[in-house]
């Protein structure tokens, strides 16, 4: 009986969610908050069945993004994408289903059993399903004004896309290591959720921006996957609020340009306007304070970015070739392993353009 009731209310919840996004409700803050409150109530009835299985490939860059660059919509190339590998500096056709992810990447533990809750329920069925609708709206019409609920959904998606990838886990590793090396984080802290949240997620130990970027810790804390997953979720929630307080802009490929956006396995990149540089590490506690430009591609001809200030010419930029080149350069500079495109020629031309910079940074040997 309990399962029947849960199924009934979860189905109602899904219908409400689809209705809300289909009719683009939640234009005002009060209405969006009311809708979120109602959807949260029905989400509690969602039945989650943990398979306990391991060995499954988890995309940390979801297919809803990667598929925008697949080579073909049908035929033998449908499931393929061109990928440049920084390991061997080669471009190959690769199966989209096996890229920008890892085996059991999102697997955590629930009562000692491997849990697929994050990838199956939180990401795939809730966040990605809603975000896909918002991204589709922007790709279809850059000038469309998002509702408060839609932009809030987009901010949450970007925040989790920041914290879900290996590049961010590397930032956490560095933070753990600096804190431990300076006796600011104790070994016992890694077993205490509240202490770890306060010290790491909200930087209660006071690590500075410069210290994070430049200091060489004498101890390296490389393990701690459960702690990284936990802290990443908490940080993502905080980042989402800060991103949403910024200003959303759309960057388009200029008409007549032969260039295109590419996407990497670390698609959200940060540009520090004060330092005039791309950030190889993400100082999450500085988001909202420093003037960062936060970029993410959403198709071959469109990208979104957030900034603290509004652009004087409006939210849409479609004549800024240098901005496009800067953004694409960041995908190569900050990728973990690969950069993807629908076109081999696009990757080839961009690699020629950025060759000297990438070699000077040691990305290309």
């Amino acid at each position: 009986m309990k399962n029947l009731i849960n199924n009934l209310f979860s189905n109602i919840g899904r219908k409400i969610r689809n209705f809300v996004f289909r009719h683009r409700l939640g234009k005002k803050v009060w209405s969006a908050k009311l809708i979120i409150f109602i959807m949260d109530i029905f989400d509690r009835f969602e039945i989650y069945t943990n398979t306990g299985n391991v060995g499954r490939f988890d995309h940390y860059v979801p297919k809803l993004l990667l598929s925008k660059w697949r080579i073909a919509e049908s035929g033998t190339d449908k499931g393929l994408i061109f990928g440049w590998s920084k390991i061997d500096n080669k471009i190959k056709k690769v199966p989209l289903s096996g890229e920008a992810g890892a085996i059991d990447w999102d697997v955590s533990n629930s009562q000692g059993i491997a849990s697929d809750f994050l990838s199956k329920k939180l990401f795939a069925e809730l966040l990605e399903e809603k975000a896909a609708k918002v991204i589709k709206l922007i790709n279809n019409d850059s000038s469309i004004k998002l509702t408060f609920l839609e932009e809030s959904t987009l901010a949450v998606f970007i925040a989790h896309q920041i914290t879900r990838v290996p590049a961010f886990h590397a930032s956490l590793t560095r933070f753990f290591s600096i804190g431990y090396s300076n006796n600011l984080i104790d070994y016992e802290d890694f077993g205490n959720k509240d202490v770890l949240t306060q010290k790491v997620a909200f930087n209660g130990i006071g690590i500075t921006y410069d210290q994070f970027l430049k200091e060489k810790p004498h101890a390296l804390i490389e393990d701690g996957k459960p702690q990284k997953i936990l802290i990443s979720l908490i940080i993502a929630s905080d980042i989402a609020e800060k991103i949403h307080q910024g200003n959303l802009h759309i960057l388009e490929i200029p008409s007549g340009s032969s260039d295109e956006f590419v996407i990497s396995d670390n698609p959200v990149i940060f540009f520090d306007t004060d330092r005039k540089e791309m950030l190889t590490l993400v100082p999450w506690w500085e988001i909202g304070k420093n003037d960062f430009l936060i970029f993410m591609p959403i198709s071959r001809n469109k990208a979104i970015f957030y900034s603290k200030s509004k652009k004087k010419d409006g939210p849409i930029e479609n004549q800024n070739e240098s901005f496009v080149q800067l953004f694409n350069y960041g995908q190569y500079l900050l990728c973990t392993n690969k950069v993807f495109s629908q076109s081999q020629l696009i990757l080839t031309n961009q690699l020629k353009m950025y060759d000297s910079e990438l070699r000077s940074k040691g990305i290309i040997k």
Side-chain angles (χ1 to χ4, degrees), residues 295-330:
F295 292 92
M296 187 182 78
I298 58 172
S299 70
R300 293 157 55 201
N301 60 2
K302 290 183 184 179
I304 55 179
F305 70 96
Y306 281 86
S307 66
K308 290 183 67 176
S309 59
K310 290 184 177 181
K311 296 294 180 180
K312 63 180 180 179
D313 297 326
I316 301 174
E317 291 208 32
N318 52 22
Q319 297 299 321
N320 197 331
E321 188 77 33
S322 61
F323 223 19
V324 170
Q325 292 175 2
L326 174 68
F327 170 76
N328 274 330
Y329 169 65

Side-chain angles (χ1 to χ4, degrees), residues 208-225:
T208 66
Y209 185 15
D210 281 337
Q211 185 181 6
F212 183 63
L213 296 179
K214 298 176 181 179
E215 184 172 315
K216 294 182 179 180
H218 63 75
L220 187 61
I221 309 296
E222 292 188 286
D223 295 328
K225 179 182 177 181

